[in-house]
Amino acid sequence: DAKTTQPPSMDCAEGRAANLPCNHSTISGNEYVYWYRQIHSQGPQYIIHGLKNNETNEMASLIITEDRKSSTLILPHATLRDTAVYYCIVRVDGGNTGKLIFGQGTTLQVKP
Amino acid sequence: KAGVTQTPRYLIKTRGQQVTLSCSPISGHRSVSWYQQTPGQGLQFLFEYFSETQRNKGNFPGRFSGRQFSNSRSEMNVSTLELGDSALYLCASSPATGGLGNTEAFFGQGTRLTVV
């Protein structure tokens, strides 16, 4: 699975959009981009995933660049409860494995 | 639908002892993966079980083992505990039966193991 690079920490004002970047310059054509987050002392929570098209769900939007070497997770209106560590993971999809390789992630601090 | 259940939530053991942790996946999920989380190493993949067979394995010593039962419940065992085994152990379940849309992993709250 491709390696990802994320900034170690970011701040965001409550109510503003949080944009979390991820670099995955060695991503292969069949690898998907996944985002999970982990709120303190809880298990990670799935947020969203995509291949090359932008994706949106009730939690967030995922923007993937045309060359697929980077992506951005967008939380449109961050709240204090969005304070967490956010992990960007790339892996081959096809549903044939539950294995996830986590990096160090980005600690997002949402401030009032 | 009930989530992933891990028991116990907290555990204190002595060096040299062994420990067994339990994970009950979401009903219908056949894949159970285990992860170790420490402040120094972050979240690390231990192993994955699917239909009672180990399908993937991380880079951990043989003291770490697991198994999966016919009802998909899984246990992991750590023998000859070391101080460095103190960690949050997380279990995740997913359908993982192939095909897009079957890859989302759902995590439990974890078992906090302290080795003294």
Side-chain angles (χ1 to χ4, degrees):
Chain A
D1 293 337
K3 182 175 175 170
T4 62
T5 304
Q6 299 178 252
S9 63
M10 293 182 64
D11 289 342
C12 177
E14 188 178 20
R16 304 297 294 269
N19 297 286
L20 293 95
C22 179
N23 285 322
H24 30 80
S25 59
T26 60
I27 192 169
S28 300
N30 61 347
E31 288 183 313
Y32 283 66
V33 180
Y34 280 76
W35 283 84
Y36 281 78
R37 73 179 182 184
Q38 185 175 25
I39 295 170
H40 183 62
S41 297
Q42 297 182 20
Q45 175 191 25
Y46 166 83
I47 301 173
I48 199 167
H49 75 283
L51 181 63
K52 51 185 174 183
N53 297 321
N54 298 336
E55 302 286 345
T56 296
N57 63 21
E58 65 279 4
M59 287 183 68
S61 294
L62 173 60
I63 308 297
I64 303 174
T65 58
E66 193 169 340
D67 63 7
R68 304 209 322 121
K69 292 183 186 300
S70 66
S71 60
T72 301
L73 178 75
I74 301 172
L75 307 179
H77 305 287
T79 70
L80 299 179
R81 287 181 293 181
D82 291 321
T83 293
V85 180
Y86 287 77
Y87 297 97
C88 169
I89 299 167
V90 295
R91 67 168 199 169
V92 174
D93 213 311
N96 288 321
T97 176
K99 175 182 177 181
L100 295 169
I101 302 299
F102 289 85
Q104 296 304 308
T106 296
T107 298
L108 174 68
Q109 181 73 49
V110 181
K111 299 186 175 181
Chain B
K1 212 180 216 184
V4 179
T5 303
Q6 291 188 246
T7 56
R9 290 292 311 278
Y10 302 92
L11 205 50
I12 299 175
K13 289 287 189 179
T14 305
R15 265 186 309 175
Q17 286 186 313
Q18 74 162 18
V19 67
T20 299
L21 311 181
S22 179
C23 173
S24 293
I26 291 171
S27 177
H29 286 190
R30 293 163 63 184
S31 166
V32 174
S33 297
W34 288 89
Y35 297 80
Q36 181 196 64
Q37 186 170 29
T38 61
Q41 299 298 319
L43 265 163
Q44 293 186 286
F45 172 77
L46 278 157
F47 31 65
E48 178 197 9
Y49 284 86
F50 182 83
S51 292
E52 302 179 63
T53 301
Q54 188 180 86
R55 184 158 72 172
N56 283 292
K57 189 176 188 308
N59 188 26
F60 278 82
R63 298 185 298 107
F64 292 82
S65 63
R67 60 176 174 168
Q68 187 180 34
F69 302 95
S70 58
N71 61 358
S72 292
R73 190 178 71 84
S74 176
E75 290 181 346
M76 69 162 281
N77 184 278
V78 187
S79 63
T80 319
L81 283 165
E82 301 176 359
L83 296 179
D85 297 332
S86 295
L88 179 66
Y89 289 89
L90 290 156
C91 159
S93 82
S94 65
T97 54
L100 300 180
N102 286 324
T103 59
E104 180 181 340
F106 297 83
F107 284 79
Q109 294 285 72
T111 294
R112 173 76 61 186
L113 172 65
T114 302
V115 182
V116 298

